[in-house]
Amino acid sequence: MTFHQGQSLADAVREATAVLSDAGVPSPRVDAELLAEHLLGVGLGRLRAMMLGDTPAPDGYRELVEERAGRVPLQHITGVAYFRHLALRVGPGVFIPRPETESVVQLVIDHLAGMPKPKVVDLGTGSGAIAGSIAHEVPGAEVHAVEYSTFAHAWAARNLEPLGVMLIEGDLRDALPEHNGTFDVVVSNPPYIPAEAIPTEPEVALHDPPEALYGGGSDGMELPTAAAASAARLLKPGGYFVMEHAEVQAAWIAGMLQRTGRWKDVTTHCDLNGKERATSAVLASPSPDE
């Protein structure tokens, strides 16, 4: 980049946009603006107003742009991931929440409408995006969260403690046995990428922790299957389970839930892009073993 002393903010953002575009960054203009906003701390609306004048580019802007051009995730540079109404602290060692997961949260919120003091658990909470959003948007909800990774748990603790979420470090396969049969909702966005399917985006392949990506086994279905089994253990009869997954896994997961004989009303849901990215089910009562 050819930034020079006193270069205007508008010119710097324009040049940064070109640099990020050449580097293959998916949203170069937005990222260029967000990096400038991060340094100035003024909000995007104010930043764009400042770009109409002769405001100089902030110190350190070139270095941040070059870091992003190297495909370091924007959220690792700024330390913040925005998810629904939350600004989550994130960094190395934790999965960066994705916009498509917001629709999974909406499924839970819609299900909980009118339910007094619901009890909810998020299995594999990562940064705490799902659990934190439910706690923030459903007043009176008792929200629990489980995270296996020590690094991710540390990030989740920072994000969830102010929201009153009860977070434990544990394995979604056997966590919270003392709460068996007591939850109204179990939600999970477990790792689900098959072992051989290496992500193509450098931000994911090089910076998201592997334990947050790969679901176990050649098809990636070990942890999603375990999440469903834990949901059946943790839910009340008639309780609601919703799980995020890859689009190509929708039919497999629906079939897996139906074959267990524990679930009814198995439903596949599309995200805002029309992709089949979540499946929900209701725990049948009583179970076939009872």
Side-chain angles (χ1 to χ4, degrees):
M1 296 183 68
T2 57
F3 289 156
H4 54 79
Q5 189 71 25
Q7 183 177 28
S8 74
L9 177 62
D11 286 345
V13 169
R14 190 178 306 113
E15 186 175 339
T17 300
V19 169
L20 296 180
S21 179
D22 289 345
V25 171
S27 50
R29 174 70 180 194
V30 172
D31 284 20
E33 291 182 340
L34 287 171
L35 289 171
E37 189 279 327
H38 170 65
L39 289 173
L40 293 168
V42 294
L44 273 181
R46 176 66 181 145
L47 175 82
R48 288 165 181 164
M50 292 167 68
M51 288 169 61
L52 298 175
D54 56 2
T55 303
D59 291 340
Y61 185 56
R62 181 176 76 173
E63 288 77 11
L64 294 193
V65 172
E66 289 175 345
E67 203 173 351
R68 182 70 185 104
R71 305 302 290 272
V72 174
L74 174 73
Q75 297 87 346
H76 282 192
I77 299 171
T78 64
V80 178
Y82 295 97
F83 185 87
R84 291 183 70 92
H85 303 292
L86 301 178
L88 300 163
R89 304 299 300 180
V90 296
V94 69
F95 181 80
I96 296 170
R98 307 299 199 256
E100 52 265 29
T101 305
E102 295 188 7
S103 59
V104 175
V105 173
Q106 192 62 51
L107 289 170
V108 174
I109 291 173
D110 291 345
H111 180 80
L112 294 176
M115 188 182 297
K117 298 182 179 178
K119 186 175 178 181
V120 181
V121 61
D122 175 16
L123 299 178
T125 196
S127 66
I130 293 176
S133 292
I134 295 167
H136 180 68
E137 297 181 51
V138 184
E142 177 186 323
V143 183
H144 297 249
V146 177
E147 176 52 49
Y148 181 76
S149 162
T150 300
F151 292 108
H153 179 273
W155 289 107
R158 295 179 66 182
N159 292 321
L160 295 179
E161 185 178 1
L163 297 167
V165 174
M166 287 159 274
L167 172 68
I168 69 157
E169 187 172 342
D171 193 319
L172 64 79
R173 287 171 282 204
D174 56 16
L176 302 172
E178 68 277 16
H179 292 270
N180 284 352
T182 66
F183 285 98
D184 298 293
V185 171
V186 173
V187 58
S188 185
N189 179 18
Y192 50 70
I193 296 177
E196 302 302 320
I198 299 173
T200 55
E201 303 90 346
E203 291 88 342
V204 178
L206 300 178
H207 297 282
D208 273 332
E211 61 270 24
L213 298 176
Y214 299 101
S218 59
D219 59 1
M221 286 291 99
E222 285 184 11
L223 283 172
T225 300
S230 287
R233 169 176 60 82
L234 291 165
L235 284 169
K236 299 174 180 176
Y240 183 75
F241 173 51
V242 60
M243 178 166 60
E244 184 174 329
H245 48 71
E247 182 182 10
V248 296
Q249 296 167 335
W252 191 97
I253 286 176
M256 177 267 291
L257 292 172
Q258 289 162 344
R259 283 191 300 273
T260 66
R262 300 296 310 274
W263 303 99
K264 62 181 181 179
D265 302 335
V266 176
T267 306
T268 300
H269 303 272
C270 293
D271 64 13
L272 295 177
N273 296 315
K275 297 181 178 180
E276 296 179 331
R277 293 298 308 276
T279 298
S280 67
V282 173
L283 186 65
S285 176
S287 74
D289 298 327
E290 294 174 345

